[in-house]
Amino acid sequence: MSIGDTLAEARRQAGLTITQVSRQTRIRESIIRAIEQGDFSACGGDFYARGHIRSIAAAVGADPVPLIREYDEEHGAPGSMRASQIFEPATPIKIREPRNLHLGWVLAVAVLALAGFGAYHFYPKNTADPTASATVQVHSRTTPTPTAKASTASKPAAQQKKKATVPEAVIRLTAAQDCWVGLNSTNGRTLYQGLILAGSSKTWNEKNQVSLVIGNPPGITLTVNGKTQHLSKGQVARLNINPFSKTPVQVG
């Protein structure tokens, strides 16, 4: 008896319709009907087909182990799919860094310092009036004041620049059903690839843009920085997540 026949017979013995199984597993009726007829092309790949077999078997009370073993004998053992067949290249988003706005302060301080220096060296050589000398002394004492203020004002800005933190995206997946997940960097490096079992969760802290592939979107909950994301209703969801952007970009 084939995989589809076994699942269909178990469903009928359990007194369930395809609609009821679809509601329990959150798998579309058309896919369940195709699996019962031995057609797995609508599953989106071997990883997702195995997940659907497990979910349907659990709903109708069948043992998924021999069914998965039979599927592997017919279609190949897990691990034969390469990452290059799953991930699509993601285009990184360029973020413009804020320009330094303290150049005006530096120029103002330089002009005042040059003016004080010229006044100090010019007036004593061209006048013998004591009043002029006193005036020069007053200027020589007051000219450092703007420099001191500018230096004091520039210190907090430098300290704030040192204390600036790099944005970080906290990505958390919580599975209600078995779900295959892949996490990839923008240069194509695989950060994670595997099956998240029902009832478990997985968390990543990423400071750079990443692409995320979710094999069974209806069976998993995704949060980014504590905010729940609404995934597409299709069988595979692909997202670009950037720490500098508040909202992930869903590409498939």
Side-chain angles (χ1 to χ4, degrees):
M1 185 178 293
S2 66
I3 298 173
D5 292 337
T6 302
L7 292 175
E9 180 63 24
R11 175 179 60 78
R12 286 190 288 268
Q13 291 182 2
L16 298 174
T17 64
I18 292 179
T19 301
Q20 291 172 328
V21 174
S22 175
R23 291 175 181 174
Q24 292 183 26
T25 60
R26 300 182 70 177
I27 300 174
R28 289 185 302 189
E29 294 183 24
S30 59
I31 295 179
I32 297 175
R33 190 174 289 106
I35 290 175
E36 290 187 354
Q37 295 174 359
D39 182 7
F40 299 93
S41 59
C43 295
D46 293 339
F47 287 104
Y48 316 125
R50 294 185 183 92
H52 292 337
I53 292 173
R54 289 191 184 93
S55 299
I56 297 172
V60 300
D63 185 4
V65 175
L67 298 177
I68 296 299
R69 186 183 303 113
E70 181 179 348
Y71 182 88
D72 291 340
E73 292 175 356
E74 295 178 359
H75 301 274
S80 58
M81 177 176 277
R82 297 176 298 175
S84 60
Q85 296 174 312
I86 301 174
F87 291 101
E88 295 179 354
T91 303
I93 300 174
K94 295 182 179 180
I95 304 298
R96 293 184 178 179
E97 296 292 338
R99 296 182 177 178
N100 192 347
L101 301 179
H102 299 290
L103 181 59
W105 272 103
V106 176
L107 292 176
V109 172
V111 171
L112 291 175
L114 289 174
F117 180 80
Y120 180 82
H121 288 277
F122 178 79
Y123 286 104
K125 294 180 180 180
N126 294 278
T127 180
D129 189 354
T131 306
S133 299
T135 303
V136 172
Q137 291 178 1
V138 171
H139 281 289
S140 64
R141 290 175 183 175
T142 56
T143 48
T145 303
T147 306
K149 291 183 178 180
S151 177
T152 303
S154 63
K155 286 182 179 180
Q159 293 175 357
Q160 291 177 1
K161 187 175 181 180
K162 291 181 180 179
K163 294 180 180 179
T165 57
V166 178
E168 185 177 70
V170 180
I171 305 169
R172 183 177 179 82
L173 294 174
T174 303
Q177 302 174 15
D178 294 349
C179 181
W180 188 93
V181 173
L183 187 68
N184 202 31
S185 65
T186 55
N187 60 6
R189 184 167 63 92
T190 300
L191 303 177
Y192 176 83
Q193 188 179 106
L195 189 68
I196 299 180
L197 300 178
S200 62
S201 61
K202 190 77 175 177
T203 302
W204 298 273
N205 293 15
E206 297 297 332
K207 295 182 179 179
N208 298 311
Q209 179 174 325
V210 294
S211 61
L212 180 66
V213 178
I214 300 175
N216 182 17
I220 204 161
T221 300
L222 167 65
T223 62
V224 178
N225 292 333
K227 184 177 180 181
T228 302
Q229 305 299 318
H230 298 287
L231 302 176
S232 63
K233 297 181 179 180
Q235 291 304 304
V236 180
R238 293 180 173 86
L239 303 96
N240 290 339
I241 300 176
N242 192 327
F244 294 93
S245 176
K246 295 182 179 180
T247 305
V249 178
Q250 190 159 315
V251 297

